[in-house]
Amino acid sequence: MLITNAVLPDDREVDVRIEDGRIAAVEPSLDGTADIDADGKRLFPGAIDVHVHFRQPGFSHKETWETGSKSAAAGGVTTVVDQPNTDPATTDGEGFDRKAELAAASYVDYGINGGVTADWSPEELFERPLFALGEVFLADSTGEMGIDADLFADAVERAGEHDTTVTVHAEDATLFDESVKDMPAVGAGTDANADLWSAFRTPEAEEAAVERAIEVAGDTGTDVHIAHTSTPEGIEAAVDGGATCEVTTHHLFLSRDDLDDLGTHGRMNPPLRDEERRRDVYEAVADGTVDMIATDHAPHTLDEKDAGIWDAPSGVPGVETMLPLLLEEARQDRFSYERVRDLIATTPAETFGLARKGRIKEGYDADLVLFDPTEATEIDAEALHTKCQWTPFAGLPGVFPELTMVRGEVVYQDGEFGDAVGRNVREHGGQ
Ligand SMILES: [Zn+2]
C-alpha cells in the first residue's frame, strides 16, 4: 500500500509505503500508484491511550470492547490499555482470561492491566500477557480497589521482578475534606451542585498520595506511572520523584467553572480543579513536563449519571475526543504538531516499551491517522460511537480523523468501520 503527499507532524511532506502491516519506507517520493493520495493532509502515528475502562466483562450496558474500540478508532486511537475494575475484576488468571476473550472483538490494539486487591493472584497474572499493573489505588481507608501500603509495596516488588510498570491512582482518602459532606447537596444530574465533589476530594490528597506511592516504591527500581494527575502539585511530585505521569483531556480542558453546566456529569476521580490549577496543568502539558495525555475513558449511562452528587458514579467518556481536541490546539497554534505526537504516541510507546509503535518510521507498525488540519467540527454526542452516548466536551471544536489504520488495515474511514483486527500488544513480540 502506498500513501502519497502526506505531511508528518514535523512538517516533512512524504510518501509512505506499507508492507505486511509495517511501514516499509518513508521518503519524499516513492515509485508506484497511490492507494491513498493524502493531498497535503496530515498523517500522524495512531494515538495510544494508556487509560481506558471498556467495562467488559460485567458492565456491557455502559460500554463493550466493540463500542469502546470503535469510539477509539473514530478518534484516531489505535492502541488502548484497559483497566482492571470490571466484573470479574482482572486480578487473577480467570479474570484476565475472561477479559482477553472479550477483547478479541476490539477494532484497535490493546493492553490489559492487572489489578491489585487483597485477594489478587500475582502468580496467575504474571503468567499472562499483562500490559502493566493498573490503576493501583494506594488508599488505606476507601476506594473499591483501595489497598494498604504493605500490599502496595509487595505489588511493586513483584512487578519489578517481571519488568512491569505499576500505574497508580493517587488520591489519599484520609485527606479528603469530610466537612463538605455536611453541606446541603441540592439537585441531581446537570442541576446538581457538583462543585461539592471538587471541594471534597482535595488537591492535597493527590499530592500526598503521589509522594507516598513514590516513597513506598522506594529504590525497588520498578517503574511507577501516576495516572490522571490533575494538579500542578501532583505533577511536580511525580516528576521530582522520578515517576512518569499522564493528564486526562478533561483535566486539561475543563475546570470547576464547568460544573455549573455539567453537574454530576462532570463528576470523576480525581475531580475537576479550579481554573488556576487547570491553567497550570495546561502549561505543564504544553511545555513537556507532563509525559502523556490519556483519557480515563470511563463511561456510565446518562440515567446513572443523573443522580445526586454523592450517588452519581464517577467517570466520563473521552477516548474519541482526545486526539481531536489536541489537534484543535495545534490548529490554533497553541501546541506544535510534534508536541501532540509526543504526548499521544511517541512518549507512551517509549514509556511502556511498545517498540514498534508511536512513530512513522521504517519498521514500525502502520498505525496511522489521516486528518485535514484545516477542518474543525463541533463535538456532538450523537456523532460519537461510545455506547453511553454523551460527552462532557459537547460544543467544543475538534479536528477529527478521516481515516485510521491499525497495522496497515483501515479500521475507520469517513464514518465507516473495517474489521475488528485488534490484538494484545504484549502477545506479539512483547511489543
Ligand atoms: Zn481510571
Side-chain angles (χ1 to χ4, degrees), residues 51-53 55 83-85 135 169 227-228 246 248 269-270 295-298:
H51 192 152
V52 305
H53 299 262
R55 302 301 192 198
Q83 301 293 356
N85 59 337
E135 38 177 337
H169 181 127
H228 47 47
E246 76 199 22
T248 68
N269 304 327
T295 64
D296 197 2
H297 176 85

Side-chain angles (χ1 to χ4, degrees), residues 90 104 152 266 282 308 363:
T90 319
F152 182 79
Y282 185 99

Side-chain angles (χ1 to χ4, degrees), residues 22-44:
R22 303 254 187 107
I23 295 166
V26 182
E27 298 290 341
S29 180
L30 289 167
D31 290 341
T33 313
D35 297 282
I36 297 168
D37 180 2
D39 196 20
K41 291 172 186 167
R42 291 258 174 193
L43 190 68
F44 252 59

Side-chain angles (χ1 to χ4, degrees), residues 65-388:
W65 277 92
E66 184 191 342
T67 56
S69 68
K70 278 184 168 175
S71 197
V77 174
T78 53
T79 303
V80 295
V81 178
D82 193 61
Q83 301 293 356
N85 59 337
T86 44
D87 185 16
T90 319
T91 50
D92 58 20
E94 202 185 317
F96 185 96
D97 295 344
R98 180 83 188 105
K99 182 168 289 183
E101 266 169 47
L102 294 160
S106 180
Y107 284 73
V108 300
D109 282 353
Y110 52 86
I112 297 174
N113 275 352
V116 184
T117 56
D119 57 359
W120 75 312
S121 178
E123 292 80 10
E124 291 176 12
L125 281 179
F126 285 120
E127 269 172 20
R128 270 118 179 130
L130 198 64
F131 187 83
L133 294 183
E135 38 177 337
V136 181
F137 198 164
L138 172 60
D140 288 323
S141 53
T142 66
E144 257 171 63
M145 296 187 76
I147 58 169
D148 65 26
D150 288 343
L151 183 51
F152 182 79
D154 182 49
V156 167
E157 200 181 316
R158 286 171 184 272
E161 286 164 9
H162 293 87
D163 206 14
T164 298
T165 301
V166 177
T167 303
V168 181
H169 181 127
E171 282 188 290
D172 182 342
T174 65
L175 295 176
F176 291 167
D177 184 353
E178 295 291 335
S179 73
V180 175
K181 288 195 162 165
D182 298 332
M183 296 178 188
V186 289
T190 51
D191 294 327
N193 177 10
D195 194 61
L196 293 178
W197 195 249
S198 295
F200 173 57
R201 296 178 86 109
T202 60
E204 293 75 25
E206 174 170 285
E207 184 183 10
V210 172
E211 286 172 352
R212 184 139 184 256
I214 288 168
E215 189 191 316
V216 176
D219 46 18
T220 56
T222 305
D223 290 331
V224 172
H225 175 77
I226 309 294
H228 47 47
T229 44
S230 61
T231 62
E233 297 91 338
I235 291 165
E236 200 182 327
V239 171
D240 286 352
T244 52
C245 69
E246 76 199 22
V247 161
T248 68
T249 26
H250 46 267
H251 292 118
L252 188 61
F253 294 110
L254 303 173
S255 74
R256 285 170 82 157
D257 293 357
D258 294 294
L259 288 172
D260 281 349
D261 295 328
L262 289 171
T264 53
H265 299 186
R267 184 186 132 161
M268 79 289 284
N269 304 327
L272 295 179
R273 306 300 187 181
D274 60 74
E275 180 59 19
E276 196 184 330
R277 279 198 173 81
R278 185 199 70 80
R279 271 195 229 115
D280 289 346
V281 166
Y282 185 99
E283 269 315 302
V285 169
D287 71 17
T289 305
V290 168
D291 298 283
M292 65 193 80
I293 303 293
T295 64
D296 197 2
H297 176 85
H300 299 283
T301 67
L302 278 178
D303 262 6
E304 293 167 328
K305 290 293 268 184
D306 282 337
I309 188 59
W310 302 114
D311 299 319
S314 292
V316 298
V319 72
E320 193 166 346
T321 44
M322 172 176 75
L323 185 60
L325 286 166
L326 291 168
L327 292 178
E328 172 64 7
E329 295 305 290
R331 192 177 76 95
Q332 299 288 352
D333 263 337
R334 293 190 281 258
F335 287 7
S336 68
Y337 283 105
E338 288 179 291
R339 171 72 69 220
V340 176
R341 173 202 62 199
D342 291 350
L343 286 165
I344 52 92
T346 310
T347 307
E350 282 174 0
T351 301
F352 289 95
L354 303 175
R356 287 201 309 270
K357 295 201 183 288
R359 290 175 191 273
I360 298 180
K361 199 176 165 186
E362 197 183 321
Y364 279 67
D365 285 348
D367 295 351
L368 300 170
V369 182
L370 186 70
F371 60 92
D372 179 346
T374 65
E375 282 283 319
T377 49
E378 206 172 89
I379 293 174
D380 169 13
E382 283 184 21
L384 301 178
H385 299 83
T386 172
K387 195 166 187 180
C388 75

